[in-house]
Amino acid sequence: MDIRLDATPIEQYPADVLVTLAFENQQGPHPLNAAAGGWFDDLRESREFTGKLFEVAILHRPSGLKAKRLAVVGAGPVEKFNATELRKVVGSAVRALKAKSLTNITLSLENATSEQITAAVEGAILADYEPDRLKTDAKKGEKRLAAFCILGPATLQPALDHGRTLGEAQNFTRDLVNEPANLMTPLKLASEAQLMAATFGLDCEILDRERMTQLGMGSLLGVSQGSAEPPAMIILRYTPAAASTADHLALIGKGVTFDTGGVSIKPSDGMEKMKYDMAGGAAVIGAMRAIAQFKPQVTITALIPAVENMVSSRAQRPGDIVTSLSGKTIEVLNTDAEGRLILVDAITYALRLGCTHMVDAATLTGAIGVALGHIHVGAFTNNEPFLGKVMSAAKSEGERMWHMPLDDDYKDYLKSAFADLPNIGGRYGGAVTAAMFLKQFTEDKPWVHLDIAGTAWLDEAKPFLSKGPSGVAVRTFVNLATNW
Ligand code: BES
Ligand code: ZN
Ligand code: ZN
């Protein structure tokens, strides 16, 4: 896609569609009202357009402009407007216009800041994404953005490039997540990570089953043993030319390429969605793609334990006891609580590699969706100041996260008579007991766990995003790394 800035004055620019914003409670006339022959006044008077979020209206041949069409998009109340809203508003305009085969879009933003330019570009790129790679309709390309231009000075180019890198990284993540599990196996995820690493200059190492057996990753291997697809521990390394700190950040992502539940099998209704059980791993791989380009001054290692959780005569059984890399034994009471089993071996390995701080993203529990719906990511920690950093990274990227409790008392929910700990708690607080399970393996190193099970997949399209994978957590990870 062609994305660029153009410093031509707005009246002079020969756009195919020129997009402008209007607020719900805008004081005074719209700046383009005169050039548009009073169109904005007419719209308000007729109540055809009120400026509510995501409303769109189109005027052909505006008299005082060189543009063929003028489109106005509702930006909501002016006092709530910020970069996060702008990302969505631009996205909604792009989706509304491309649905009408208008794919050459120019945006006019008055006195835009760098932050706004970045958000606008991200909004356009994210809105352009469709989860239709495997549809054979030859015309689907006609509804993809061909060009996106923002009217503004060349000094804003770095902000535009930044948004482009982030938006593309997030869409890369969405592509990985959207791929069906017959095509996106653990080894395929590993080869996608390798290819990305080779393209952007990262180091990539894949631990195979043999190596993981040697190391003693019994908790991960137990999950994988029921599948004909071999497991992989994907490791991506970013080393700065000059590190500004001795800190070493680990980004860890759950990479279950399909979760049947195993012998504790899931209901068949909706099981097809379990291809998105590697969304945490995909978010980490996408974030590393952007990190490789932004080159922050902190050492970062990404670890993605990738497995398929299947049912077979070789599958692990409820009651099996496995020995994790940490040496702790785990009683597998429910084979569907597999995410935590693969993550703890990745956490222990990250500690062995010398990581000083860890953040993981995982579609870990259905319970987080019960608690927070599809709006907030659940954020857990063993270190409040570190969570504060992650939350502020999330806030500046417009990714909503909610601080969940993790008091020591929850440890009482994890008692096994036969092993060091069971892999599930009782009936209550499922997202918290899952996080508490992970916490037992963090050796008190600063750690944040993001449960993205409720937010990594959209069951319905939004005005600014298609149905399917959301790419949540990518921008937060990148922001955390670049502002370390
Ligand atoms: N992958 C699921 C969690 C999940 C559920 C992700 C819904 C996305 C949407 C996870 O492996 C799982 O099955 N967790 C169980 C844990 C339970 C057995 C304690 C769950 O949430 O039901
Ligand atoms: Zn599961
Ligand atoms: Zn799972």
Side-chain angles (χ1 to χ4, degrees), residues 117-154:
I117 296 290
T118 299
V121 171
E122 286 166 11
I125 292 176
L126 297 175
D128 192 34
Y129 181 86
E130 293 293 340
D132 61 358
R133 190 184 77 80
L134 293 167
K135 285 194 187 244
T136 57
D137 175 5
K139 291 193 169 163
K140 68 185 181 188
E142 291 173 13
K143 302 239 158 144
R144 273 316 131 70
L145 258 194
F148 183 70
C149 174
I150 304 182
L151 296 182

PDB file of all heavy atoms in Angstrom, residues 117-154:
ATOM      1  N   ILE A 117      -0.559  11.560  13.805  1.00  0.00           N
ATOM      2  CA  ILE A 117      -0.207  10.986  12.497  1.00  0.00           C
ATOM      3  C   ILE A 117       0.026   9.478  12.639  1.00  0.00           C
ATOM      4  O   ILE A 117      -0.473   8.667  11.852  1.00  0.00           O
ATOM      5  CB  ILE A 117       1.061  11.665  11.920  1.00  0.00           C
ATOM      6  CG1 ILE A 117       0.799  13.134  11.647  1.00  0.00           C
ATOM      7  CG2 ILE A 117       1.563  10.947  10.668  1.00  0.00           C
ATOM      8  CD1 ILE A 117      -0.138  13.430  10.498  1.00  0.00           C
ATOM      9  N   THR A 118       0.783   9.110  13.680  1.00  0.00           N
ATOM     10  CA  THR A 118       1.049   7.685  13.921  1.00  0.00           C
ATOM     11  C   THR A 118      -0.259   6.923  14.094  1.00  0.00           C
ATOM     12  O   THR A 118      -0.474   5.867  13.473  1.00  0.00           O
ATOM     13  CB  THR A 118       1.944   7.522  15.180  1.00  0.00           C
ATOM     14  OG1 THR A 118       3.176   8.202  14.938  1.00  0.00           O
ATOM     15  CG2 THR A 118       2.219   6.059  15.482  1.00  0.00           C
ATOM     16  N   ALA A 119      -1.133   7.450  14.934  1.00  0.00           N
ATOM     17  CA  ALA A 119      -2.403   6.758  15.207  1.00  0.00           C
ATOM     18  C   ALA A 119      -3.263   6.661  13.947  1.00  0.00           C
ATOM     19  O   ALA A 119      -3.913   5.639  13.695  1.00  0.00           O
ATOM     20  CB  ALA A 119      -3.157   7.483  16.318  1.00  0.00           C
ATOM     21  N   ALA A 120      -3.261   7.726  13.145  1.00  0.00           N
ATOM     22  CA  ALA A 120      -4.082   7.720  11.925  1.00  0.00           C
ATOM     23  C   ALA A 120      -3.595   6.646  10.951  1.00  0.00           C
ATOM     24  O   ALA A 120      -4.394   5.899  10.366  1.00  0.00           O
ATOM     25  CB  ALA A 120      -4.053   9.100  11.260  1.00  0.00           C
ATOM     26  N   VAL A 121      -2.284   6.551  10.801  1.00  0.00           N
ATOM     27  CA  VAL A 121      -1.728   5.541   9.887  1.00  0.00           C
ATOM     28  C   VAL A 121      -2.025   4.137  10.408  1.00  0.00           C
ATOM     29  O   VAL A 121      -2.434   3.243   9.657  1.00  0.00           O
ATOM     30  CB  VAL A 121      -0.203   5.762   9.706  1.00  0.00           C
ATOM     31  CG1 VAL A 121       0.433   4.610   8.954  1.00  0.00           C
ATOM     32  CG2 VAL A 121       0.045   7.076   8.968  1.00  0.00           C
ATOM     33  N   GLU A 122      -1.853   3.929  11.699  1.00  0.00           N
ATOM     34  CA  GLU A 122      -2.192   2.631  12.284  1.00  0.00           C
ATOM     35  C   GLU A 122      -3.660   2.304  12.033  1.00  0.00           C
ATOM     36  O   GLU A 122      -4.000   1.189  11.626  1.00  0.00           O
ATOM     37  CB  GLU A 122      -1.953   2.637  13.802  1.00  0.00           C
ATOM     38  CG  GLU A 122      -0.499   2.589  14.193  1.00  0.00           C
ATOM     39  CD  GLU A 122      -0.277   2.943  15.668  1.00  0.00           C
ATOM     40  OE1 GLU A 122      -1.274   3.025  16.436  1.00  0.00           O
ATOM     41  OE2 GLU A 122       0.876   3.149  16.025  1.00  0.00           O
ATOM     42  N   GLY A 123      -4.515   3.303  12.275  1.00  0.00           N
ATOM     43  CA  GLY A 123      -5.957   3.084  12.093  1.00  0.00           C
ATOM     44  C   GLY A 123      -6.275   2.639  10.682  1.00  0.00           C
ATOM     45  O   GLY A 123      -7.075   1.719  10.465  1.00  0.00           O
ATOM     46  N   ALA A 124      -5.629   3.274   9.694  1.00  0.00           N
ATOM     47  CA  ALA A 124      -5.891   2.937   8.290  1.00  0.00           C
ATOM     48  C   ALA A 124      -5.395   1.526   7.968  1.00  0.00           C
ATOM     49  O   ALA A 124      -6.104   0.742   7.327  1.00  0.00           O
ATOM     50  CB  ALA A 124      -5.214   3.967   7.381  1.00  0.00           C
ATOM     51  N   ILE A 125      -4.202   1.201   8.429  1.00  0.00           N
ATOM     52  CA  ILE A 125      -3.624  -0.121   8.111  1.00  0.00           C
ATOM     53  C   ILE A 125      -4.423  -1.229   8.800  1.00  0.00           C
ATOM     54  O   ILE A 125      -4.718  -2.274   8.200  1.00  0.00           O
ATOM     55  CB  ILE A 125      -2.141  -0.159   8.530  1.00  0.00           C
ATOM     56  CG1 ILE A 125      -1.332   0.790   7.647  1.00  0.00           C
ATOM     57  CG2 ILE A 125      -1.579  -1.577   8.445  1.00  0.00           C
ATOM     58  CD1 ILE A 125       0.130   0.920   8.011  1.00  0.00           C
ATOM     59  N   LEU A 126      -4.793  -0.994  10.045  1.00  0.00           N
ATOM     60  CA  LEU A 126      -5.555  -2.020  10.777  1.00  0.00           C
ATOM     61  C   LEU A 126      -6.940  -2.213  10.159  1.00  0.00           C
ATOM     62  O   LEU A 126      -7.461  -3.323  10.096  1.00  0.00           O
ATOM     63  CB  LEU A 126      -5.679  -1.640  12.257  1.00  0.00           C
ATOM     64  CG  LEU A 126      -4.344  -1.570  13.018  1.00  0.00           C
ATOM     65  CD1 LEU A 126      -4.569  -1.066  14.438  1.00  0.00           C
ATOM     66  CD2 LEU A 126      -3.656  -2.928  13.044  1.00  0.00           C
ATOM     67  N   ALA A 127      -7.519  -1.111   9.683  1.00  0.00           N
ATOM     68  CA  ALA A 127      -8.858  -1.191   9.081  1.00  0.00           C
ATOM     69  C   ALA A 127      -8.816  -1.868   7.717  1.00  0.00           C
ATOM     70  O   ALA A 127      -9.809  -2.417   7.251  1.00  0.00           O
ATOM     71  CB  ALA A 127      -9.444   0.215   8.944  1.00  0.00           C
ATOM     72  N   ASP A 128      -7.672  -1.819   7.091  1.00  0.00           N
ATOM     73  CA  ASP A 128      -7.545  -2.412   5.762  1.00  0.00           C
ATOM     74  C   ASP A 128      -7.507  -3.942   5.833  1.00  0.00           C
ATOM     75  O   ASP A 128      -7.769  -4.634   4.851  1.00  0.00           O
ATOM     76  CB  ASP A 128      -6.263  -1.890   5.094  1.00  0.00           C
ATOM     77  CG  ASP A 128      -6.216  -2.238   3.618  1.00  0.00           C
ATOM     78  OD1 ASP A 128      -7.282  -2.263   2.986  1.00  0.00           O
ATOM     79  OD2 ASP A 128      -5.111  -2.499   3.106  1.00  0.00           O
ATOM     80  N   TYR A 129      -7.172  -4.470   6.995  1.00  0.00           N
ATOM     81  CA  TYR A 129      -7.001  -5.930   7.137  1.00  0.00           C
ATOM     82  C   TYR A 129      -8.330  -6.673   6.977  1.00  0.00           C
ATOM     83  O   TYR A 129      -9.336  -6.308   7.579  1.00  0.00           O
ATOM     84  CB  TYR A 129      -6.401  -6.252   8.512  1.00  0.00           C
ATOM     85  CG  TYR A 129      -6.183  -7.736   8.705  1.00  0.00           C
ATOM     86  CD1 TYR A 129      -5.019  -8.344   8.270  1.00  0.00           C
ATOM     87  CD2 TYR A 129      -7.168  -8.536   9.292  1.00  0.00           C
ATOM     88  CE1 TYR A 129      -4.826  -9.706   8.410  1.00  0.00           C
ATOM     89  CE2 TYR A 129      -6.991  -9.897   9.443  1.00  0.00           C
ATOM     90  CZ  TYR A 129      -5.814 -10.472   8.993  1.00  0.00           C
ATOM     91  OH  TYR A 129      -5.640 -11.825   9.128  1.00  0.00           O
ATOM     92  N   GLU A 130      -8.304  -7.736   6.175  1.00  0.00           N
ATOM     93  CA  GLU A 130      -9.466  -8.638   6.066  1.00  0.00           C
ATOM     94  C   GLU A 130      -8.959 -10.071   6.253  1.00  0.00           C
ATOM     95  O   GLU A 130      -7.916 -10.438   5.712  1.00  0.00           O
ATOM     96  CB  GLU A 130     -10.119  -8.530   4.678  1.00  0.00           C
ATOM     97  CG  GLU A 130     -10.782  -7.194   4.382  1.00  0.00           C
ATOM     98  CD  GLU A 130     -12.010  -6.909   5.227  1.00  0.00           C
ATOM     99  OE1 GLU A 130     -12.603  -7.863   5.784  1.00  0.00           O
ATOM    100  OE2 GLU A 130     -12.365  -5.726   5.351  1.00  0.00           O
ATOM    101  N   PRO A 131      -9.720 -10.892   6.959  1.00  0.00           N
ATOM    102  CA  PRO A 131      -9.253 -12.260   7.232  1.00  0.00           C
ATOM    103  C   PRO A 131      -9.621 -13.226   6.106  1.00  0.00           C
ATOM    104  O   PRO A 131     -10.073 -14.334   6.356  1.00  0.00           O
ATOM    105  CB  PRO A 131     -10.009 -12.612   8.527  1.00  0.00           C
ATOM    106  CG  PRO A 131     -11.290 -11.864   8.405  1.00  0.00           C
ATOM    107  CD  PRO A 131     -10.989 -10.595   7.648  1.00  0.00           C
ATOM    108  N   ASP A 132      -9.402 -12.796   4.857  1.00  0.00           N
ATOM    109  CA  ASP A 132      -9.928 -13.573   3.725  1.00  0.00           C
ATOM    110  C   ASP A 132      -8.826 -14.149   2.829  1.00  0.00           C
ATOM    111  O   ASP A 132      -9.053 -14.384   1.647  1.00  0.00           O
ATOM    112  CB  ASP A 132     -10.872 -12.686   2.890  1.00  0.00           C
ATOM    113  CG  ASP A 132     -10.160 -11.459   2.321  1.00  0.00           C
ATOM    114  OD1 ASP A 132      -8.951 -11.285   2.610  1.00  0.00           O
ATOM    115  OD2 ASP A 132     -10.801 -10.671   1.617  1.00  0.00           O
ATOM    116  N   ARG A 133      -7.649 -14.399   3.391  1.00  0.00           N
ATOM    117  CA  ARG A 133      -6.541 -14.873   2.575  1.00  0.00           C
ATOM    118  C   ARG A 133      -6.926 -16.102   1.751  1.00  0.00           C
ATOM    119  O   ARG A 133      -6.495 -16.263   0.610  1.00  0.00           O
ATOM    120  CB  ARG A 133      -5.324 -15.221   3.449  1.00  0.00           C
ATOM    121  CG  ARG A 133      -4.050 -15.485   2.641  1.00  0.00           C
ATOM    122  CD  ARG A 133      -2.883 -15.913   3.511  1.00  0.00           C
ATOM    123  NE  ARG A 133      -2.949 -17.288   3.943  1.00  0.00           N
ATOM    124  CZ  ARG A 133      -2.597 -18.348   3.194  1.00  0.00           C
ATOM    125  NH1 ARG A 133      -2.148 -18.171   1.969  1.00  0.00           N
ATOM    126  NH2 ARG A 133      -2.693 -19.571   3.679  1.00  0.00           N
ATOM    127  N   LEU A 134      -7.744 -16.971   2.306  1.00  0.00           N
ATOM    128  CA  LEU A 134      -8.030 -18.237   1.629  1.00  0.00           C
ATOM    129  C   LEU A 134      -9.315 -18.209   0.809  1.00  0.00           C
ATOM    130  O   LEU A 134      -9.753 -19.247   0.320  1.00  0.00           O
ATOM    131  CB  LEU A 134      -8.044 -19.378   2.660  1.00  0.00           C
ATOM    132  CG  LEU A 134      -6.652 -19.625   3.269  1.00  0.00           C
ATOM    133  CD1 LEU A 134      -6.730 -20.515   4.494  1.00  0.00           C
ATOM    134  CD2 LEU A 134      -5.706 -20.231   2.240  1.00  0.00           C
ATOM    135  N   LYS A 135      -9.918 -17.040   0.656  1.00  0.00           N
ATOM    136  CA  LYS A 135     -11.049 -16.929  -0.278  1.00  0.00           C
ATOM    137  C   LYS A 135     -10.480 -16.783  -1.678  1.00  0.00           C
ATOM    138  O   LYS A 135      -9.492 -16.081  -1.871  1.00  0.00           O
ATOM    139  CB  LYS A 135     -11.923 -15.718   0.069  1.00  0.00           C
ATOM    140  CG  LYS A 135     -12.787 -15.938   1.291  1.00  0.00           C
ATOM    141  CD  LYS A 135     -13.847 -14.846   1.359  1.00  0.00           C
ATOM    142  CE  LYS A 135     -14.624 -14.937   2.650  1.00  0.00           C
ATOM    143  NZ  LYS A 135     -16.033 -15.258   2.409  1.00  0.00           N
ATOM    144  N   THR A 136     -11.133 -17.409  -2.651  1.00  0.00           N
ATOM    145  CA  THR A 136     -10.564 -17.388  -3.995  1.00  0.00           C
ATOM    146  C   THR A 136     -11.200 -16.317  -4.883  1.00  0.00           C
ATOM    147  O   THR A 136     -10.866 -16.215  -6.049  1.00  0.00           O
ATOM    148  CB  THR A 136     -10.708 -18.769  -4.670  1.00  0.00           C
ATOM    149  OG1 THR A 136     -12.094 -19.102  -4.680  1.00  0.00           O
ATOM    150  CG2 THR A 136      -9.938 -19.829  -3.915  1.00  0.00           C
ATOM    151  N   ASP A 137     -12.089 -15.507  -4.335  1.00  0.00           N
ATOM    152  CA  ASP A 137     -12.713 -14.414  -5.078  1.00  0.00           C
ATOM    153  C   ASP A 137     -11.638 -13.493  -5.689  1.00  0.00           C
ATOM    154  O   ASP A 137     -10.893 -12.820  -4.973  1.00  0.00           O
ATOM    155  CB  ASP A 137     -13.595 -13.616  -4.104  1.00  0.00           C
ATOM    156  CG  ASP A 137     -14.204 -12.388  -4.757  1.00  0.00           C
ATOM    157  OD1 ASP A 137     -14.021 -12.213  -5.976  1.00  0.00           O
ATOM    158  OD2 ASP A 137     -14.867 -11.617  -4.036  1.00  0.00           O
ATOM    159  N   ALA A 138     -11.576 -13.465  -7.002  1.00  0.00           N
ATOM    160  CA  ALA A 138     -10.517 -12.710  -7.684  1.00  0.00           C
ATOM    161  C   ALA A 138     -10.650 -11.208  -7.441  1.00  0.00           C
ATOM    162  O   ALA A 138      -9.695 -10.461  -7.591  1.00  0.00           O
ATOM    163  CB  ALA A 138     -10.561 -13.014  -9.176  1.00  0.00           C
ATOM    164  N   LYS A 139     -11.841 -10.758  -7.065  1.00  0.00           N
ATOM    165  CA  LYS A 139     -12.065  -9.313  -6.928  1.00  0.00           C
ATOM    166  C   LYS A 139     -11.825  -8.781  -5.528  1.00  0.00           C
ATOM    167  O   LYS A 139     -12.027  -7.595  -5.277  1.00  0.00           O
ATOM    168  CB  LYS A 139     -13.499  -8.995  -7.355  1.00  0.00           C
ATOM    169  CG  LYS A 139     -13.712  -9.183  -8.848  1.00  0.00           C
ATOM    170  CD  LYS A 139     -15.010  -8.563  -9.285  1.00  0.00           C
ATOM    171  CE  LYS A 139     -15.055  -8.537 -10.807  1.00  0.00           C
ATOM    172  NZ  LYS A 139     -16.398  -8.323 -11.312  1.00  0.00           N
ATOM    173  N   LYS A 140     -11.413  -9.661  -4.611  1.00  0.00           N
ATOM    174  CA  LYS A 140     -11.306  -9.175  -3.228  1.00  0.00           C
ATOM    175  C   LYS A 140     -10.284  -8.037  -3.091  1.00  0.00           C
ATOM    176  O   LYS A 140     -10.437  -7.163  -2.249  1.00  0.00           O
ATOM    177  CB  LYS A 140     -11.036 -10.316  -2.258  1.00  0.00           C
ATOM    178  CG  LYS A 140      -9.676 -10.959  -2.386  1.00  0.00           C
ATOM    179  CD  LYS A 140      -9.538 -12.155  -1.467  1.00  0.00           C
ATOM    180  CE  LYS A 140      -8.140 -12.739  -1.624  1.00  0.00           C
ATOM    181  NZ  LYS A 140      -7.949 -14.002  -0.917  1.00  0.00           N
ATOM    182  N   GLY A 141      -9.260  -8.042  -3.986  1.00  0.00           N
ATOM    183  CA  GLY A 141      -8.245  -6.993  -3.959  1.00  0.00           C
ATOM    184  C   GLY A 141      -8.799  -5.604  -4.242  1.00  0.00           C
ATOM    185  O   GLY A 141      -8.234  -4.598  -3.824  1.00  0.00           O
ATOM    186  N   GLU A 142      -9.918  -5.554  -4.919  1.00  0.00           N
ATOM    187  CA  GLU A 142     -10.508  -4.247  -5.242  1.00  0.00           C
ATOM    188  C   GLU A 142     -11.040  -3.532  -4.012  1.00  0.00           C
ATOM    189  O   GLU A 142     -11.316  -2.344  -4.045  1.00  0.00           O
ATOM    190  CB  GLU A 142     -11.653  -4.431  -6.263  1.00  0.00           C
ATOM    191  CG  GLU A 142     -11.125  -4.855  -7.616  1.00  0.00           C
ATOM    192  CD  GLU A 142     -12.243  -5.212  -8.598  1.00  0.00           C
ATOM    193  OE1 GLU A 142     -13.407  -4.898  -8.316  1.00  0.00           O
ATOM    194  OE2 GLU A 142     -11.909  -5.828  -9.624  1.00  0.00           O
ATOM    195  N   LYS A 143     -11.231  -4.278  -2.949  1.00  0.00           N
ATOM    196  CA  LYS A 143     -11.711  -3.648  -1.704  1.00  0.00           C
ATOM    197  C   LYS A 143     -10.595  -3.503  -0.685  1.00  0.00           C
ATOM    198  O   LYS A 143     -10.841  -3.496   0.514  1.00  0.00           O
ATOM    199  CB  LYS A 143     -12.883  -4.447  -1.144  1.00  0.00           C
ATOM    200  CG  LYS A 143     -14.041  -4.570  -2.126  1.00  0.00           C
ATOM    201  CD  LYS A 143     -15.340  -4.001  -1.580  1.00  0.00           C
ATOM    202  CE  LYS A 143     -16.279  -3.641  -2.723  1.00  0.00           C
ATOM    203  NZ  LYS A 143     -17.680  -3.866  -2.477  1.00  0.00           N
ATOM    204  N   ARG A 144      -9.362  -3.422  -1.159  1.00  0.00           N
ATOM    205  CA  ARG A 144      -8.213  -3.164  -0.282  1.00  0.00           C
ATOM    206  C   ARG A 144      -7.707  -1.767  -0.554  1.00  0.00           C
ATOM    207  O   ARG A 144      -7.716  -1.309  -1.699  1.00  0.00           O
ATOM    208  CB  ARG A 144      -7.071  -4.130  -0.603  1.00  0.00           C
ATOM    209  CG  ARG A 144      -7.038  -5.465   0.068  1.00  0.00           C
ATOM    210  CD  ARG A 144      -7.338  -5.452   1.522  1.00  0.00           C
ATOM    211  NE  ARG A 144      -8.339  -6.457   1.823  1.00  0.00           N
ATOM    212  CZ  ARG A 144      -8.110  -7.765   1.778  1.00  0.00           C
ATOM    213  NH1 ARG A 144      -6.934  -8.227   1.487  1.00  0.00           N
ATOM    214  NH2 ARG A 144      -9.068  -8.606   2.043  1.00  0.00           N
ATOM    215  N   LEU A 145      -7.249  -1.093   0.474  1.00  0.00           N
ATOM    216  CA  LEU A 145      -6.695   0.245   0.314  1.00  0.00           C
ATOM    217  C   LEU A 145      -5.558   0.226  -0.709  1.00  0.00           C
ATOM    218  O   LEU A 145      -4.650  -0.586  -0.607  1.00  0.00           O
ATOM    219  CB  LEU A 145      -6.109   0.717   1.636  1.00  0.00           C
ATOM    220  CG  LEU A 145      -6.875   1.692   2.498  1.00  0.00           C
ATOM    221  CD1 LEU A 145      -5.963   2.264   3.559  1.00  0.00           C
ATOM    222  CD2 LEU A 145      -7.472   2.804   1.670  1.00  0.00           C
ATOM    223  N   ALA A 146      -5.635   1.109  -1.700  1.00  0.00           N
ATOM    224  CA  ALA A 146      -4.549   1.212  -2.673  1.00  0.00           C
ATOM    225  C   ALA A 146      -3.569   2.293  -2.215  1.00  0.00           C
ATOM    226  O   ALA A 146      -2.358   2.119  -2.312  1.00  0.00           O
ATOM    227  CB  ALA A 146      -5.112   1.544  -4.044  1.00  0.00           C
ATOM    228  N   ALA A 147      -4.108   3.403  -1.718  1.00  0.00           N
ATOM    229  CA  ALA A 147      -3.246   4.503  -1.289  1.00  0.00           C
ATOM    230  C   ALA A 147      -3.880   5.246  -0.125  1.00  0.00           C
ATOM    231  O   ALA A 147      -5.100   5.426  -0.077  1.00  0.00           O
ATOM    232  CB  ALA A 147      -3.022   5.455  -2.457  1.00  0.00           C
ATOM    233  N   PHE A 148      -3.030   5.652   0.798  1.00  0.00           N
ATOM    234  CA  PHE A 148      -3.495   6.445   1.942  1.00  0.00           C
ATOM    235  C   PHE A 148      -2.535   7.615   2.102  1.00  0.00           C
ATOM    236  O   PHE A 148      -1.342   7.437   2.322  1.00  0.00           O
ATOM    237  CB  PHE A 148      -3.524   5.588   3.210  1.00  0.00           C
ATOM    238  CG  PHE A 148      -4.052   6.311   4.413  1.00  0.00           C
ATOM    239  CD1 PHE A 148      -5.400   6.642   4.495  1.00  0.00           C
ATOM    240  CD2 PHE A 148      -3.209   6.663   5.455  1.00  0.00           C
ATOM    241  CE1 PHE A 148      -5.902   7.320   5.610  1.00  0.00           C
ATOM    242  CE2 PHE A 148      -3.701   7.336   6.576  1.00  0.00           C
ATOM    243  CZ  PHE A 148      -5.052   7.660   6.647  1.00  0.00           C
ATOM    244  N   CYS A 149      -3.089   8.814   1.930  1.00  0.00           N
ATOM    245  CA  CYS A 149      -2.263  10.019   1.961  1.00  0.00           C
ATOM    246  C   CYS A 149      -2.763  10.918   3.087  1.00  0.00           C
ATOM    247  O   CYS A 149      -3.970  11.051   3.289  1.00  0.00           O
ATOM    248  CB  CYS A 149      -2.377  10.722   0.606  1.00  0.00           C
ATOM    249  SG  CYS A 149      -1.560  12.309   0.547  1.00  0.00           S
ATOM    250  N   ILE A 150      -1.843  11.502   3.840  1.00  0.00           N
ATOM    251  CA  ILE A 150      -2.241  12.488   4.843  1.00  0.00           C
ATOM    252  C   ILE A 150      -1.693  13.833   4.403  1.00  0.00           C
ATOM    253  O   ILE A 150      -0.517  13.945   4.040  1.00  0.00           O
ATOM    254  CB  ILE A 150      -1.702  12.136   6.248  1.00  0.00           C
ATOM    255  CG1 ILE A 150      -2.149  10.726   6.651  1.00  0.00           C
ATOM    256  CG2 ILE A 150      -2.190  13.155   7.276  1.00  0.00           C
ATOM    257  CD1 ILE A 150      -1.705  10.309   8.047  1.00  0.00           C
ATOM    258  N   LEU A 151      -2.536  14.849   4.405  1.00  0.00           N
ATOM    259  CA  LEU A 151      -2.072  16.189   4.041  1.00  0.00           C
ATOM    260  C   LEU A 151      -1.336  16.784   5.234  1.00  0.00           C
ATOM    261  O   LEU A 151      -1.906  16.947   6.324  1.00  0.00           O
ATOM    262  CB  LEU A 151      -3.261  17.068   3.640  1.00  0.00           C
ATOM    263  CG  LEU A 151      -4.007  16.591   2.383  1.00  0.00           C
ATOM    264  CD1 LEU A 151      -5.135  17.553   2.025  1.00  0.00           C
ATOM    265  CD2 LEU A 151      -3.059  16.415   1.196  1.00  0.00           C
ATOM    266  N   GLY A 152      -0.050  17.035   5.042  1.00  0.00           N
ATOM    267  CA  GLY A 152       0.754  17.572   6.144  1.00  0.00           C
ATOM    268  C   GLY A 152       2.195  17.707   5.718  1.00  0.00           C
ATOM    269  O   GLY A 152       2.593  17.188   4.668  1.00  0.00           O
ATOM    270  N   PRO A 153       2.993  18.408   6.545  1.00  0.00           N
ATOM    271  CA  PRO A 153       4.391  18.687   6.182  1.00  0.00           C
ATOM    272  C   PRO A 153       5.283  17.442   6.278  1.00  0.00           C
ATOM    273  O   PRO A 153       4.996  16.522   7.047  1.00  0.00           O
ATOM    274  CB  PRO A 153       4.818  19.727   7.224  1.00  0.00           C
ATOM    275  CG  PRO A 153       3.939  19.468   8.397  1.00  0.00           C
ATOM    276  CD  PRO A 153       2.624  18.989   7.843  1.00  0.00           C
ATOM    277  N   ALA A 154       6.383  17.473   5.510  1.00  0.00           N
ATOM    278  CA  ALA A 154       7.309  16.337   5.464  1.00  0.00           C
ATOM    279  C   ALA A 154       7.966  16.072   6.819  1.00  0.00           C
ATOM    280  O   ALA A 154       8.476  14.975   7.060  1.00  0.00           O
ATOM    281  CB  ALA A 154       8.383  16.601   4.407  1.00  0.00           C
TER     282      ALA A 154
END
